[in-house]
Amino acid sequence: MDDIHFAVLGTGGIGRRTLEVSQHKDGLTAVAACDRNGVALDHDGLDVDELLAATEGNIASGPAEHASDSTPAAPTDDYASDGGAAAVEGGGVKQHGDQSGIVASEQGEPTETPIDDIIAESDAIDAVLLALPNLEHDFIPRVAERFAEADYEGVMIDVLKRSRVIGMLDDREDLLKASGITFVCGAGATPGFLTGAAALAAQSFVEVEEVEIWWGVGLKSGYEDNRGTVREDIAHLDGYDIETAREMSEAEIEALIDEHDGVLEFHDMEHADDVLLERAGICDAEDVHVGGVLDVRSDEKPTTTTVSVTGTTFDGETGTNTFELDDVTSMEANVNGPALGYLKAGVRNNRAGHYGVFGPADLMPGF
Amino acid sequence: MDDIHFAVLGTGGIGRRTLEVSQHKDGLTAVAACDRNGVALDHDGLDVDELLAATEGNIASGPAEHASDSTPAAPTDDYASDGGAAAVEGGGVKQHGDQSGIVASEQGEPTETPIDDIIAESDAIDAVLLALPNLEHDFIPRVAERFAEADYEGVMIDVLKRSRVIGMLDDREDLLKASGITFVCGAGATPGFLTGAAALAAQSFVEVEEVEIWWGVGLKSGYEDNRGTVREDIAHLDGYDIETAREMSEAEIEALIDEHDGVLEFHDMEHADDVLLERAGICDAEDVHVGGVLDVRSDEKPTTTTVSVTGTTFDGETGTNTFELDDVTSMEANVNGPALGYLKAGVRNNRAGHYGVFGPADLMPGF
């Protein structure tokens, strides 16, 4: 496969780790990255080390995993119409003044329209990873729309989690197809890696009865980078929802975490694995259960990440196939490796002229 | 996806079970099947139940898993030039005279050129599963060549095991591409299902150190249908090779099995998983180890089928991800489900105009 030139929108934890992991992979060249108030562009390849060093612990934007920081979200319509400035806006957790984020890199240029700047160069970009905060459910779909309106031909990929966003992407499928976009949605760890594992594990069966996705994350050293994800997860606890979680102050979140001694356990989360497996024909969304345990005070995983697929074989046996990730594999390894893996699969499809909206399971053997 | 009309060449264990499993799947219509001296064709869909009932325990051909029955193999060149009669020839284990095999079905017609008969109808066939004996290494590649020479546009898929066959298919890739063939090779259980699992499990890592594929098969009730596979496996035992295994009489094989109380253990088998993972860029072929335990006197698996992928993450941890099949899932479930799953993936690619030779790992997220 020819070298893939890709861009990363958002340089929070997921964006930065994706850039880092891409350096270990063959055939991937990072050519663009942006955050709230800066863009770095070099079609011969960014100096990723320099960019990471300059932005580490110095985030201008509220990236994907800072989905809901303490700064109230701007109204959704603004995201799609402001040329990108609000698009990569987020909390104030790590801002360091005018020189924060990408502009602190010698490759960074200040801009008020970071996403538009990348769209302007997108003819030479094969794939775009959306590591943006999906503050409102339709934010990522709207960014895709903007690329489509600019006739972008290539791959777009996100690591979103919420089931309802998939339908919003599907609603825009005609527009994406007309432009020549192969959109791979939900392509991080879960949904993503584990959704694919479930789709594969289902291959023994002719009928899938249940998919259980159970994750463990130890997030001590990664906590600062992932406050937004923690906040999103809190929405899944009993007595909380997206709105209440969004409105909590940092202090309230800390108090809640203290109450649980740093360990939060989640059941029946709204994770897009369900609709992604249903759209691939593997099982009904309601038969998919996602839960897990998060420990923000340890880097050890509190439980082993496991996918269990229970089904019936053509010869009438009922059994459970399992996929287990080693406890030493970090959340970052399991998000960013698969994100780039699906990105490559997306490019394969895109180059063959296969456009539209794909979930991870759609890129697996059929069911 | 529009309905997939598919053909099965060979109606031994794998061919018949694939027809059976396809009835449990959406979007698959079996329209053609052939064996040594008969062909059944109906573009509206075969009556699979009738066909299976007529051919069960009544095999005219030496199908894929009867790779080397006691009848000496005809010279290879004959396979490719005789219009297909020898193509599906095999041993005499279960032959029952003129009315054996497909011609015993009311849908079957006698023919001396079963493969050519299917090629003649291939305009209306989306995919062809090759469940043929690969008596000589280049037999399946030569059948593919014949379809290509007839300008077949569609999917061909096999469940071959031997590493060296992949290169022979690659040698013919230009011809396959020119015709519009998407050839998915090694798409059964192993290689196939487990190769795909290894490719997926690798996604946590930036460097894969070892892939261990360890299978368990309990083959008491399936033994008669799978004598050929057992013979092929014997070639992997210490002191045996393909030639000596091929020349063994049935009695010699029975004696060998008796000696081992029905349980044969294999290490470092020549299984195409190695080259299939290497060609997908996941690891070196030499880092892939395939072995397992076969019990021909029990239907219980003597060991749990497990894929273990050991690698290093971008953040420097070394770990092992694992994929385990429930012991109740039979070899047949794990061969034929994935074969149809990869067939569907092949059709997706073929319809997008993606031609050439693909291994299971090539249909997974990239590495």
Side-chain angles (χ1 to χ4, degrees), chain B residues 161-320:
Chain B
K161 291 180 173 185
R162 296 209 182 277
S163 304
R164 64 192 84 170
V165 183
I166 313 297
M168 296 180 187
L169 286 165
D170 282 337
D171 290 344
R172 290 158 173 86
E173 186 161 40
D174 287 344
L175 183 68
L176 299 177
K177 279 186 174 172
S179 173
I181 290 173
T182 302
F183 197 109
V184 186
C185 55
T190 175
F193 194 10
L194 305 186
T195 328
L200 193 66
Q203 294 286 322
S204 299
F205 308 118
V206 293
E207 187 78 42
V208 170
E209 283 153 34
E210 193 186 11
V211 173
E212 203 199 328
I213 292 175
W214 182 249
W215 52 260
V217 170
L219 202 61
K220 187 181 178 192
S221 54
Y223 182 48
E224 283 306 315
D225 257 2
N226 290 283
R227 283 173 176 269
T229 298
V230 173
R231 183 186 291 267
E232 263 197 83
D233 286 343
I234 284 172
H236 296 286
L237 290 176
D238 269 353
Y240 294 84
D241 60 22
I242 300 170
E243 285 64 36
T244 53
R246 181 180 299 154
E247 283 158 18
M248 289 171 80
S249 68
E250 289 293 326
E252 283 168 330
I253 286 181
E254 291 311 313
L256 177 71
I257 288 171
D258 274 345
E259 231 172 80
H260 289 80
D261 293 325
V263 180
L264 303 177
E265 185 167 327
F266 304 95
H267 295 274
D268 281 320
M269 307 176 77
E270 185 202 336
H271 251 242
D273 302 275
D274 56 357
V275 293
L276 292 168
L277 288 168
E278 181 171 290
R279 81 201 302 274
I282 289 162
C283 58
D284 292 337
E286 66 194 21
D287 296 328
V288 180
H289 302 286
V290 180
V293 186
L294 171 70
D295 187 345
V296 300
R297 294 186 180 161
S298 168
D299 281 332
E300 303 276 300
K301 288 192 189 181
T303 186
T304 297
T305 298
T306 307
V307 179
S308 307
V309 177
T310 301
T312 305
T313 63
F314 81 101
D315 44 2
E317 299 283 349
T318 297
T320 302

Side-chain angles (χ1 to χ4, degrees), chain B:
Chain B
M1 189 185 292
D2 292 339
D3 209 39
I4 296 170
H5 286 217
F6 76 101
V8 173
L9 309 191
T11 54
I14 289 176
R16 283 201 312 282
R17 291 293 83 76
T18 301
L19 290 170
E20 186 177 350
V21 174
S22 74
Q23 297 200 285
H24 297 274
K25 299 271 183 181
D26 291 333
L28 289 173
T29 304
V31 296
C34 72
D35 64 12
R36 180 191 187 188
N37 52 22
V39 63
L41 256 164
D42 185 341
H43 292 297
D44 294 326
L46 295 171
D47 178 348
V48 171
D49 287 335
E50 192 276 338
L51 193 77
L52 292 177
T55 56
E56 203 74 54
N58 178 21
I59 303 174
S61 63
E65 66 281 19
H66 287 86
S68 321
D69 273 329
S70 50
T71 308
T76 305
D77 284 347
D78 286 354
Y79 295 150
S81 60
D82 72 349
V88 282
E89 182 175 51
V93 184
K94 286 185 180 180
Q95 270 173 247
H96 299 268
D98 287 349
Q99 285 307 303
S100 66
I102 276 187
V103 293
S105 154
E106 53 195 39
Q107 302 166 84
E109 297 291 336
T111 176
E112 292 188 350
T113 57
I115 291 179
D116 285 344
D117 291 5
I118 287 182
I119 289 175
E121 300 279 335
S122 62
D123 272 1
I125 295 174
D126 301 303
V128 178
L129 179 87
L130 300 155
L132 295 167
N134 194 31
L135 294 173
E136 302 298 325
H137 291 306
D138 64 348
F139 174 57
I140 281 181
R142 279 167 186 253
V143 172
E145 225 170 66
R146 285 163 60 192
F147 274 82
E149 281 159 4
D151 283 329
Y152 174 58
E153 190 178 339
V155 170
M156 303 190 77
I157 182 163
D158 70 40
V159 294
L160 62 81
K161 291 180 173 185
R162 296 209 182 277
S163 304
R164 64 192 84 170
V165 183
I166 313 297
M168 296 180 187
L169 286 165
D170 282 337
D171 290 344
R172 290 158 173 86
E173 186 161 40
D174 287 344
L175 183 68
L176 299 177
K177 279 186 174 172
S179 173
I181 290 173
T182 302
F183 197 109
V184 186
C185 55
T190 175
F193 194 10
L194 305 186
T195 328
L200 193 66
Q203 294 286 322
S204 299
F205 308 118
V206 293
E207 187 78 42
V208 170
E209 283 153 34
E210 193 186 11
V211 173
E212 203 199 328
I213 292 175
W214 182 249
W215 52 260
V217 170
L219 202 61
K220 187 181 178 192
S221 54
Y223 182 48
E224 283 306 315
D225 257 2
N226 290 283
R227 283 173 176 269
T229 298
V230 173
R231 183 186 291 267
E232 263 197 83
D233 286 343
I234 284 172
H236 296 286
L237 290 176
D238 269 353
Y240 294 84
D241 60 22
I242 300 170
E243 285 64 36
T244 53
R246 181 180 299 154
E247 283 158 18
M248 289 171 80
S249 68
E250 289 293 326
E252 283 168 330
I253 286 181
E254 291 311 313
L256 177 71
I257 288 171
D258 274 345
E259 231 172 80
H260 289 80
D261 293 325
V263 180
L264 303 177
E265 185 167 327
F266 304 95
H267 295 274
D268 281 320
M269 307 176 77
E270 185 202 336
H271 251 242
D273 302 275
D274 56 357
V275 293
L276 292 168
L277 288 168
E278 181 171 290
R279 81 201 302 274
I282 289 162
C283 58
D284 292 337
E286 66 194 21
D287 296 328
V288 180
H289 302 286
V290 180
V293 186
L294 171 70
D295 187 345
V296 300
R297 294 186 180 161
S298 168
D299 281 332
E300 303 276 300
K301 288 192 189 181
T303 186
T304 297
T305 298
T306 307
V307 179
S308 307
V309 177
T310 301
T312 305
T313 63
F314 81 101
D315 44 2
E317 299 283 349
T318 297
T320 302
N321 291 342
T322 53
F323 181 70
E324 278 192 11
L325 300 182
D326 195 305
D327 286 349
V328 304
T329 62
S330 62
M331 185 189 73
E332 292 81 0
N334 292 325
V335 168
N336 300 300
L340 288 171
Y342 285 117
L343 183 151
K344 284 187 171 185
V347 170
R348 273 197 316 252
N349 276 276
N350 188 262
R351 287 181 178 166
H354 212 184
Y355 308 139
V357 178
F358 298 80
D362 300 320
L363 299 171
M364 292 284 139
F367 187 69

